[in-house]
Structures are given as C-alpha cells and as structure tokens.
Amino acid sequence: MKELIENMQSTYESFESDVKLQLESGNKAAGTRARKSSLALEKLLKEFRKVSIAESKK
C-alpha cells in the first residue's frame, strides 16, 4: 500500500507541474501530459480504494 501511495504522489506531482505549464504558458503538450496523468491518477485511486477496503476487512 505504501508503494501505491508513493506512486500516486509522484503521478500527482507530474500532473500538477504540467497543469501549471499549460495554464501559465499555454503549452499544449503539457496539457496532453496532464490529461494522461489524470487518467493514471484515476486508475491509481480506484486501486487504492480496493486495497483500502481489503485492509479494513482484516
């Protein structure tokens, strides 16, 4: 679970930096990367939910 959380944090950090680049400088490629990161975050959050539920049932 710790590895999953670290992966979520690094993905969010890259998402956040790409969003800032898109907003501040209009970098279209950064917007594409941010959208890709958001999809990866969605998958990681779903996985976190599954793991969290499994841990609470122990």
Side-chain angles (χ1 to χ4, degrees):
M1 185 151 160
K2 185 175 181 178
E3 183 180 316
L4 177 62
I5 292 172
E6 289 172 358
N7 195 359
M8 286 170 35
Q9 287 175 335
S10 67
T11 304
Y12 181 77
E13 288 169 2
S14 66
F15 167 77
E16 188 176 30
S17 67
D18 287 333
V19 166
K20 286 180 183 177
L21 282 172
Q22 181 186 19
L23 291 175
E24 293 171 359
S25 62
N27 187 333
K28 291 182 181 181
T32 302
R33 290 191 303 270
R35 289 189 297 276
K36 184 176 179 182
S37 293
S38 71
L39 292 174
L41 271 173
E42 181 182 15
K43 290 177 185 177
L44 289 169
L45 289 168
K46 285 180 182 181
E47 182 63 28
F48 172 77
R49 181 174 163 81
K50 288 178 189 175
V51 171
S52 177
I53 290 171
E55 288 290 324
S56 70
K57 290 183 180 181
K58 286 185 177 180

